């Protein structure tokens, strides 16, 4: 059996079908029909396209959305999610936060040593109209990278980064303002003496600078 109906205007309608077996038993199903009822249109205002971040930065999540029937949507119709991506997986930093002008406190560190060049933040804005139609938009925010160079005298000895031994000379890519720990270790007949900046502590913890230093940080050893 087929039937047709002409709807008088665009909007949301519900078609209800009831069937009977002729013995008093019935079953009902309802179908929602959207006639030219477009979903709302979300826009991420902040962070702007091309925004980058350093560890510890505060990112403000600002958006807006419009709907053909409702006009501009209220702030409580906006929902935010932030994901920290690393290769093929991600970690949730923010999920289902309702509102606008949300401050994402303290942009995070990268997950581990290998994650510095493969990680970024994804900002997702989902908006929902009063009739229940939703739409989402996302924006990737990339970290600011800094390349650091390390060596030893004599060259070829190992330094320890994030618990991992690496032979020198070595280049480390980190996020701006990220904490970095490097340790010079005694090796064979060679014993650590000092760093090229005259620091005598074998283990160094410092904050990754904004720009790449022109000269490598060198650990000098003496022969016992």
């Amino acid at each position: 059996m087929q039937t047709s109906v002409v709807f008088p205007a665009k909007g949301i309608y519900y078609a209800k079908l009831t069937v009977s077996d002729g013995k008093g038993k019935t079953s009902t199903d309802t179908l929602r029909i959207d006639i030219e009822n477009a979903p709302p249109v979300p826009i991420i205002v902040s962070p702007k396209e091309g925004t980058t971040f350093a560890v510890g930065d505060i990112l403000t999540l600002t958006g807006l959305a419009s709907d053909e029937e409702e006009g501009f949507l209220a702030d409580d119709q906006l929902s935010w999610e932030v994901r920290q991506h690393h290769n093929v997986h991600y970690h949730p930093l923010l999920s289902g936060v309702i509102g606008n002008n949300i401050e994402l406190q303290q942009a995070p560190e990268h997950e581990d040593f290998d994650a510095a060049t493969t990680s970024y933040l994804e900002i997702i804005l989902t908006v929902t109209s009063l009739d229940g139609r939703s739409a989402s938009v996302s924006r990737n925010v990339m970290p600011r990278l800094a390349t650091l160079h390390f060596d030893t005298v004599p060259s070829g000895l190992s330094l320890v980064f994030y618990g991992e031994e690496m032979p020198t000379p070595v280049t480390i890519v980190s996020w701006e303002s990220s904490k970095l720990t490097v340790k010079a270790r005694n090796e064979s007949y060679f014993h650590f003496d000092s760093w090229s900046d005259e620091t005598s502590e074998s283990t160094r913890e410092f904050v990754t600078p904004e720009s790449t230093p022109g000269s490598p940080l060198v650990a000098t050893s003496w022969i016992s």
Side-chain angles (χ1 to χ4, degrees), residues 184-186 190-195 199-202 219-222:
R185 55 187 294 273
N186 297 329
F190 297 97
H191 292 258
F192 171 77
D193 181 50
S194 65
W195 296 92
T199 301
S200 60
E201 296 293 332
S202 61
T220 303
S221 298
W222 53 274

Side-chain angles (χ1 to χ4, degrees), residues 4-212:
S4 62
V5 63
V6 177
F7 296 98
K10 64 180 181 180
I12 300 174
Y13 299 87
Y14 293 91
K16 184 177 181 180
L17 173 65
T18 301
V19 296
S20 173
D21 64 358
K23 298 179 182 180
K25 293 183 178 181
T26 62
S27 180
T28 301
D29 194 14
T30 302
L31 174 67
R32 171 174 164 160
I33 302 173
D34 293 283
I35 304 299
E36 297 184 19
N37 186 34
V41 179
I43 298 175
I44 295 177
V45 178
S46 173
K48 295 181 180 179
E49 187 74 41
T51 294
T52 59
F53 70 90
V55 173
D57 282 356
I58 296 177
L59 300 175
T60 301
L61 311 181
T62 302
L64 58 85
S66 60
D67 182 82
E68 290 183 357
E69 287 74 31
E70 301 175 35
F72 286 103
L73 272 59
D75 287 350
D76 62 5
Q77 293 173 269
L78 279 60
S79 176
W80 297 92
E81 179 184 0
V82 180
R83 300 174 177 178
Q84 182 176 355
H85 284 266
H86 173 210
N87 286 337
V88 297
H89 72 276
Y90 69 86
H91 301 279
L93 293 183
L94 198 70
S95 181
V97 175
I98 304 298
N100 210 356
N101 301 312
I102 306 296
E103 285 192 348
L104 179 64
Q105 297 289 340
Q106 303 292 319
E109 297 264 0
H110 46 78
E111 183 180 350
D112 54 39
F113 176 73
D114 295 325
T117 58
T118 59
S119 297
Y120 59 92
L121 301 182
E122 180 186 13
I123 313 295
I124 303 172
L125 170 62
T126 300
V127 298
T128 305
S129 61
L130 294 177
D131 59 25
R133 295 181 68 83
S134 296
S136 297
V137 66
S138 68
R139 175 164 296 161
N140 294 339
V141 182
M142 308 304 292
R144 294 197 290 276
L145 302 179
T147 304
L148 307 176
H149 305 284
F150 298 86
D151 206 345
T152 58
V153 176
S155 188
L157 301 179
S158 293
L159 296 174
V160 181
F161 300 90
Y162 304 102
E164 179 180 348
E165 290 188 15
M166 304 186 70
T168 58
V170 61
T171 297
I172 299 295
V173 178
S174 184
W175 290 1
E176 180 184 319
S177 297
S178 176
K179 292 180 180 179
L180 177 66
T181 299
V182 55
K183 179 180 180 180
R185 55 187 294 273
N186 297 329
E187 189 172 333
S188 186
Y189 299 103
F190 297 97
H191 292 258
F192 171 77
D193 181 50
S194 65
W195 296 92
S196 53
D197 61 359
E198 300 183 353
T199 301
S200 60
E201 296 293 332
S202 61
T203 299
R204 302 286 302 277
E205 182 174 299
F206 55 93
V207 175
T208 302
E210 295 182 10
S211 58
T212 301

